[in-house]
């Protein structure tokens, strides 16, 4: 997280606001071209984890090879779309200064290659997660941190166009990381030794499942990159840069939740595969709460002292960065709570109702935001809309999961949603009061941030945890801190 925040500051300083905004929005355009990647990624993860839970190794090999074949086909589709429709959109619809168009085109091509690389690597990543080899992610994360620092150094010393250089370096780092995952899988998991396998029923099942996931992925892109492009159409690259900076902060914060959720996700699917519904429900409850707690614990100081922290971090305070950051973190907190519900729906394999309902509501982000911007709304409007829709989708997911696995919705609302809201409010009281009373200075920032963390920990422990969870923490503390058996 610290390296991400540091490198973001240096990259913004090196590229400048305009080039940083161009990289953010052009990369987002390619992400939209890779729409099918997200759909197949979820399908691959679900099917590999399910077969591993069942213990059918032959079927596991067949699923992997079939998924790999599909991702190769998707790579070809992405290249065709990106080099036709994508290029047309880049030249005719994007708001990019004429003198930077050549550099934007280079970045666009690098982003296409990165997207293809992501597609080919996807089944290998899904296999690592299915096997729950989380230590691999820890080691590769250390490598990624080192590569980020190398990129920052090279960006400052290579005497060429910095936007183009940055695009090349990011692509190179992604290639190195992908290679690590692929080599590890080849050595450790026999099912990742690809051989062409054709099973029409399996192919159709994967494509059908992915078809509904495609709708959900499209909805996610509308919420993310679609709104990014919408901001570019109504405003200028500086607004996209502010959004990019805010998402960098959010990405660093949510990394705690992402790593935690990556470890939890295969367990939810395996519990369903083996028919342990009660255990699955308990895990969904706990992972929903803990996901929210992790984000709140890290983000509370940033939300309260965002202007000072952003200015200290970047050496400047670009317009809209602070409100964007606060709103995006709030949206991420709500979505993190809902993520285990999404995994539960996917575990059942019955995702038609889920994707059609939730996806449709999420897609409403685009027309509602467009209408409000057309009526003169500020850039913050799109994030207000997104926050409201995220809350609505949380309750919609609860209703759908109840239909799929007889999920205890009332209990979830009381024990998870109610506790999260209560903890958020209670944790804010003391640090917010101190923030208002004390004049802004470095000392007051330290005091407020420290109080935020302490208040969050105390409130989470006494209000947010049940007796069994407290006992688990006591046992963990004794074993790891006090070394008692």
């Amino acid at each position: 997280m610290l390296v991400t925040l540091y490198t973001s500051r240096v990259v913004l300083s090196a590229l400048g606001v305009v080039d940083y905004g161009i990289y953010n929005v052009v990369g987002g355009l390619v992400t939209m071209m890779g729409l099918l990647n997200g759909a197949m990624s979820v399908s691959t993860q679900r099917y590999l984890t399910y077969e591993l839970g069942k213990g059918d190794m032959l079927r596991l090999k067949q699923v992997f090879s079939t998924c790999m074949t599909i991702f190769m086909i998707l790579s070809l589709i992405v290249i065709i779309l990106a080099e036709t429709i994508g290029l047309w959109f880049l030249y005719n619809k994007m708001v990019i200064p004429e003198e930077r168009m050549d550099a934007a085109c280079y970045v666009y091509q690098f982003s296409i290659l990165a997207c293809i690389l992501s597609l080919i690597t996807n089944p290998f990543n899904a296999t690592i997660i299915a096997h729950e080899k989380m230590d691999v992610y820890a080691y590769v994360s250390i490598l990624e941190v080192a590569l980020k620092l190398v990129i920052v150094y090279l960006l400052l010393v290579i005497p060429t166009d910095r936007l183009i250089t940055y695009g090349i370096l990011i692509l190179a780092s992604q290639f190195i990381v992908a290679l690590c995952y692929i080599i590890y899988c080849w050595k450790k998991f026999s099912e990742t030794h690809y051989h062409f396998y054709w099973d029409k029923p399996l192919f159709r099942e994967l494509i059908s499942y992915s078809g509904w996931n495609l709708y959900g992925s499209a909805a996610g892109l509308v919420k993310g990159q679609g709104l990014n492009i919408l901001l570019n159409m109504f405003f200028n690259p500086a607004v996209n840069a502010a959004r990019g900076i805010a998402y960098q902060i959010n990405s660093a914060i949510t990394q705690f939740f992402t790593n935690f959720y990556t470890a939890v996700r295969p367990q939810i699917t395996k519990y369903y595969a083996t028919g342990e519904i009660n255990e699955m429900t308990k895990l969904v409850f706990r992972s929903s709460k803990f996901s929210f707690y992790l984000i709140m614990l890290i983000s509370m100081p940033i939300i309260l002292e965002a202007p000072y922290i952003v200015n200290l971090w970047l050496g400047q305070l670009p317009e809209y960065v602070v409100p964007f950051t606060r709103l995006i973190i709030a949206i991420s907190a709500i979505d993190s709570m809902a993520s285990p519900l999404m995994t539960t729906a996917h575990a059942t394999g019955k995702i038609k109702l889920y994707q059609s309902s939730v996806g449709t509501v999420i897609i409403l982000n685009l027309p509602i935001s467009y209408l409000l911007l057309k009526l003169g709304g500020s850039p913050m409007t799109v994030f207000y809309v997104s926050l409201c829709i995220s809350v609505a989708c949380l309750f919609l997911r609860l209703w759908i999961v109840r239909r799929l696995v007889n999920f205890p919705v009332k209990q979830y609302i009381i024990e998870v949603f109610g506790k999260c809201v209560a903890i958020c409010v209670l944790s804010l009281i003391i640090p917010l009061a101190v923030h208002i009373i004390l004049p802004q200075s470095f000392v007051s920032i330290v005091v407020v941030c420290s109080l935020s963390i302490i208040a969050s920990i105390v409130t989470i422990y006494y209000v947010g945890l049940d007796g069994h969870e407290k006992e688990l923490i006591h046992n963990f503390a004794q074993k790891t801190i006090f070394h008692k058996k």
Side-chain angles (χ1 to χ4, degrees):
M1 182 181 73
L2 293 174
V3 170
T4 297
L5 295 176
Y6 168 71
T7 53
S8 298
R9 168 181 175 153
V10 178
V11 169
L12 175 63
S13 177
L15 295 183
V17 172
V18 173
D19 275 3
Y20 189 86
I22 290 172
Y23 182 85
N24 186 261
V25 75
V26 170
L29 179 59
V30 176
T31 301
M32 295 189 71
M33 294 295 106
L35 173 64
L36 293 170
N37 185 11
M40 265 307 298
S41 176
V42 176
S43 303
T44 303
Q45 178 66 65
R46 188 266 173 186
Y47 276 86
L48 288 175
T49 305
Y50 190 87
E51 296 303 333
L52 196 61
K54 287 287 188 181
D56 190 340
M57 296 308 295
L58 177 60
R59 184 67 170 175
L60 184 64
K61 292 179 180 180
Q62 293 171 347
V63 168
F64 179 88
S65 292
T66 304
C67 289
M68 198 71 208
T69 300
I70 294 173
F71 274 107
M72 291 177 185
I73 296 171
L74 292 182
S75 298
L76 181 61
I77 293 173
V78 167
I79 291 172
I80 294 171
L81 289 174
E83 298 296 356
T84 54
I85 297 172
L87 273 179
W88 172 83
F89 194 89
L90 176 66
Y91 278 106
N92 295 281
K93 296 297 180 180
M94 305 297 286
V95 180
I96 296 173
E98 186 176 350
E99 67 275 10
R100 300 305 293 151
M101 183 56 76
D102 286 344
C105 288
Y106 276 108
V107 169
Y108 181 73
Q109 296 299 328
F110 299 146
S111 299
I112 293 172
L113 292 174
C115 182
I116 301 303
L117 191 62
S118 175
L119 282 164
I120 299 301
T121 313
N122 225 308
F124 297 96
N125 289 343
T127 301
I128 294 172
I129 294 173
H131 283 275
E132 300 184 64
K133 297 295 183 180
M134 303 310 164
D135 56 328
V136 177
Y137 280 99
Y139 294 132
V140 177
S141 293
I142 294 171
L143 174 62
E144 286 185 278
V145 165
L147 289 174
K148 283 181 179 179
L149 293 173
V150 171
I151 287 172
V152 166
Y153 173 74
L154 293 177
L155 186 62
L156 296 175
V157 299
I158 296 176
T160 57
D161 188 299
R162 285 180 172 174
L163 180 56
I164 297 174
T165 301
Y166 186 62
I168 295 173
L169 294 173
I170 290 293
L171 175 61
S173 69
Q174 289 178 326
F175 176 79
I176 293 170
V177 169
L179 201 60
C180 291
Y181 286 132
I182 292 172
I183 292 173
Y184 177 83
C185 286
W186 281 345
K187 288 185 175 182
K188 296 293 183 179
F189 310 124
S190 60
E191 69 267 23
T192 60
H193 296 170
Y194 173 77
H195 63 280
F196 181 75
Y197 173 79
W198 180 254
D199 181 340
K200 189 174 180 180
L202 176 59
F203 185 86
R204 291 182 63 179
E205 186 179 350
L206 283 166
I207 293 298
S208 175
Y209 190 90
S210 300
W212 286 110
N213 280 332
L214 176 61
Y215 189 72
S217 297
L221 277 174
V222 165
K223 181 180 177 180
Q225 299 304 332
L227 294 178
N228 190 25
I229 291 174
L230 196 63
L231 287 172
N232 180 261
M233 292 170 64
F234 277 90
F235 302 100
N236 54 58
V239 175
N240 293 110
R243 176 195 173 277
I245 294 166
Y247 268 99
Q248 285 283 348
I249 299 171
N250 183 67
S251 175
I253 291 170
T254 56
Q255 191 64 45
F256 289 91
F257 148 71
T258 303
N259 289 338
F260 167 73
Y261 180 55
T262 298
V264 167
R265 189 168 52 193
Q267 275 297 319
I268 293 175
T269 303
K270 288 176 183 176
Y271 276 138
Y272 181 83
T274 54
E276 299 177 75
I277 304 302
N278 287 336
E279 293 301 316
M280 182 192 74
T281 301
K282 290 178 184 177
L283 184 56
V284 170
F285 272 53
R286 284 184 179 145
S287 56
S288 292
K289 286 194 301 182
F290 295 165
S291 296
F292 184 89
Y293 297 163
L294 284 169
I295 291 181
M296 189 194 79
L297 186 65
I298 303 300
S299 66
M300 189 78 76
I302 296 175
I303 290 174
L304 285 171
E305 299 292 352
Y308 188 92
I309 291 172
V310 171
N311 190 50
L312 182 67
W313 167 43
L314 296 178
Q316 55 181 298
L317 189 61
E319 189 178 10
Y320 297 120
V321 168
V322 169
F324 282 6
T325 299
R326 286 169 170 163
L327 287 167
I328 290 169
I329 291 173
I331 294 166
S332 293
I334 297 297
D335 290 343
S336 71
M337 199 189 307
S339 292
L341 298 173
M342 178 181 68
T343 300
T344 304
H346 280 287
T348 66
K350 303 171 186 177
I351 60 169
K352 181 178 179 180
L353 175 63
Y354 176 87
Q355 295 291 21
S356 60
S357 303
V358 177
T360 299
V361 175
I362 291 175
I363 286 174
L364 291 176
N365 272 284
L366 196 61
I368 294 174
S369 296
Y370 178 83
L371 179 62
L372 293 176
L373 290 177
K374 200 74 174 174
L375 293 173
S378 72
M380 277 94 74
T381 302
V382 301
F383 298 108
Y384 288 126
V385 172
S386 186
L387 179 60
C388 292
I389 289 179
S390 287
V391 174
C393 283
L394 172 64
F395 288 96
L396 179 58
R397 288 183 176 103
L398 281 171
W399 175 76
I400 293 169
V401 171
R402 183 181 66 178
R403 289 171 58 97
L404 294 175
V405 294
N406 194 28
F407 193 79
V409 172
K410 184 178 180 180
Q411 186 182 353
Y412 181 95
I413 292 174
I414 295 172
E415 294 187 14
V416 178
F417 185 77
K419 280 187 176 180
C420 289
V421 172
I423 286 169
C424 196
V425 173
L426 291 172
S427 299
L428 265 174
I429 295 174
I430 295 176
L432 182 60
V434 174
H435 169 77
I436 294 171
I437 294 170
L438 293 181
Q440 192 176 71
S441 65
F442 180 77
V443 173
S444 69
I445 302 301
V446 172
V447 170
V448 170
C449 290
S450 301
L451 285 174
S452 297
I453 294 172
I454 294 169
S456 296
I457 291 173
V458 171
T459 311
I460 288 170
Y461 182 82
Y462 286 104
V463 180
L465 303 181
D466 59 32
H468 180 64
E469 290 161 354
K470 290 177 182 177
E471 184 181 349
L472 288 174
I473 290 176
H474 289 161
N475 293 337
F476 178 78
Q478 287 179 345
K479 289 179 181 179
T480 58
I481 299 175
F482 303 109
H483 304 292
K484 293 180 180 180
K485 295 184 179 180

